Amino acid sequence: MSLLFRYLFLRHARMLLLTLAMGGGMFMLTDMVERLDVLLDAGASPLLMLLYYAARLPGIVAQILPAVFLLASVILLCLMTHNRESIALQAGGVSPGTLTVMLVWCGLFWGVVQFGCSQYLSIMGEGVANRIWHEQVRQRKSELRVLDNLWFSDHNWIVSAGELREDGQGRDLAAYQLSDDGLRFDTVVRAPRFETRQGSWTVFEALRIRPGEYVSERIAEFNLPLTQDAGLFFVSESESPEQLSFWLLGEAISRLRDAGSNVEGLQTLWHGKLAYAASLMAMAFVAAAIVSWRDNVYMAVALAIVVTFVTYVLTLFGDAMGQRGLVPPVAGAWGPQIILLGVALLRLHYAGLRR
């Protein structure tokens, strides 16, 4: 890592964190104004309010980080131009293209941070925040979704359940283990109650029958050798599948596709999670293109805000087109970022020709 890159990265990180604190603070303040009356009427303590907004913070960071990165990059490049640092670097043989590549590496680092926040911390935080809001503020328990008459296969097992709740509890389970040739049942398991946790299926007060051996036995509790994640059954019923993690959504797409379901909408969301994190690298080129056109910090920041709004509109449009099947999911998710990157590269090419 060169001395110049460390210098640029640290300056950019300070600018980004300052901008992030301001943007995140405004976002949370706006939300607090809307919800404060409800929190106070519910008698929420300051500690509960702090916990609620702390749980929501990773999601806010993940949502606004691309725009914050663009603003921080534009401000940094403008300041370097006004302080004659850019001229000094060019005199020393460091081209504007080299600075842009360094910003792209910064975008890669912060893109990984954004992806981690959105796929790990944000999902856990939103779950905590929703429980606080519904159970402690609204004073009502979160409603659990229930699936009735569920059937699925898992390797050589065929399983049916009379009822499966979103919390993993279920009743009236029947599981049939096929023989290697698939012509008979080696084992039949029936249980009035079961529960599943992270791919582990536990049955209670079960009757296990081995037809080939004419044997049946009662077992108080044991685990079935199933790997199916019960949470995937609720994906197609979910009102907000975008809240699923990248990996869980990918597994759901694979299983639903094998079952013959239409997964174009979920595929668009899956690609969108990657595209949103990768957009920070595109923002590095956009920042360089903006400053190459206008290095006045006020005009550059205003233009960056306009670009952020246009990108947001294009992203919504691409997601809608992809989920409706009007364009391939890859094009719907990645199209806005490709358009943005293409325009930025054209501007940088034109600026290079002028030099």
Side-chain angles (χ1 to χ4, degrees):
M1 184 184 297
S2 67
L3 179 62
L4 176 60
F5 178 74
R6 289 199 299 270
Y7 171 76
L8 183 68
F9 179 83
L10 291 176
R11 284 196 62 184
H12 184 273
R14 286 194 294 267
M15 186 65 66
L16 183 141
L17 292 175
L18 177 62
T19 310
L20 183 62
M22 295 175 61
M26 293 177 61
F27 193 103
M28 294 179 68
L29 182 61
T30 303
D31 185 82
M32 187 179 297
V33 168
E34 295 177 354
R35 297 174 182 257
L36 187 59
D37 290 343
V38 179
L39 290 168
L40 293 177
D41 290 342
S45 65
L47 181 61
L48 184 64
M49 294 183 191
L50 181 63
L51 180 60
Y52 173 75
Y53 283 103
R56 294 198 60 198
L57 184 59
I60 295 173
V61 170
Q63 184 176 350
I64 68 175
L65 195 53
V68 168
F69 181 87
L70 176 60
L71 289 173
S73 301
V74 164
I75 294 172
L76 177 62
L77 291 177
C78 288
L79 291 178
M80 291 181 68
T81 300
H82 291 174
N83 294 335
R84 304 293 189 268
E85 292 177 89
S86 298
I87 296 176
L89 288 173
Q90 292 182 44
V94 179
S95 67
T98 302
L99 289 178
T100 303
V101 171
M102 291 181 179
L103 276 181
V104 172
W105 282 107
C106 293
L108 176 61
F109 172 82
W110 291 108
V112 172
V113 172
Q114 191 279 336
F115 191 79
C117 282
S118 63
Q119 303 310 308
Y120 288 103
L121 301 178
S122 175
I123 292 174
M124 292 187 294
E126 285 297 328
V128 172
N130 287 335
R131 283 195 296 272
I132 292 174
W133 182 258
H134 289 290
E135 297 178 9
Q136 300 189 48
V137 176
R138 291 297 192 179
Q139 299 295 322
R140 62 172 181 260
K141 293 184 177 180
S142 300
E143 296 182 359
L144 295 175
R145 289 172 294 174
V146 178
L147 296 179
D148 296 320
N149 194 26
L150 175 68
W151 285 83
F152 68 92
S153 62
D154 190 333
H155 299 294
N156 61 334
W157 286 84
I158 298 175
V159 183
S160 71
E163 180 183 284
L164 175 63
R165 299 194 310 176
E166 194 174 9
D167 62 356
Q169 302 293 323
R171 61 177 179 82
D172 298 335
L173 180 137
Y176 308 89
Q177 184 183 26
L178 293 171
S179 60
D180 293 337
D181 57 13
L183 299 178
R184 63 183 185 278
F185 293 131
D186 283 346
T187 305
V188 178
V189 177
R190 297 181 181 277
R193 186 171 66 89
F194 69 94
E195 67 177 17
T196 175
R197 293 286 186 275
Q198 298 179 347
S200 174
W201 292 71
T202 304
V203 294
F204 304 94
E205 303 299 331
L207 174 64
R208 182 166 62 185
I209 305 171
R210 300 183 186 276
E213 303 174 6
Y214 300 98
V215 174
S216 66
E217 57 182 332
R218 285 282 179 183
I219 303 177
E221 176 182 339
F222 77 100
N223 292 328
L224 286 173
L226 305 176
T227 60
Q228 175 69 51
D229 188 340
L232 298 177
F233 296 123
F234 295 92
V235 171
S236 60
E237 303 293 329
S238 175
E239 296 179 358
S240 53
E242 64 275 3
Q243 294 182 0
L244 296 173
S245 69
F246 177 78
W247 293 272
L248 183 59
L249 186 58
E251 185 177 353
I253 290 171
S254 177
R255 292 184 180 272
L256 291 172
R257 185 195 297 115
D258 293 342
S261 299
N262 184 355
V263 295
E264 289 182 336
L266 296 179
Q267 284 181 319
T268 303
L269 290 174
W270 187 84
H271 283 287
K273 292 177 181 292
L274 280 177
Y276 200 72
S279 67
L280 277 84
M281 291 184 284
M283 291 300 184
F285 288 102
V286 173
I290 290 174
V291 177
S292 71
W293 183 57
R294 287 291 186 274
D295 58 9
N296 181 285
V297 65
Y298 302 106
M299 295 186 64
V301 167
L303 186 56
I305 294 174
V306 172
V307 169
T308 300
F309 176 76
V310 171
T311 304
Y312 178 73
V313 172
L314 288 176
T315 300
L316 290 180
F317 181 74
D319 287 345
M321 296 283 284
Q323 292 187 39
R324 293 176 182 273
L326 300 178
V327 298
V330 175
W334 289 93
Q337 314 304 332
I338 294 174
I339 293 173
L340 193 68
L341 180 61
V343 173
L345 289 176
L346 285 175
R347 169 58 202 173
L348 291 173
H349 178 69
Y350 176 73
L353 291 178
R354 289 184 60 188
R355 290 192 185 92

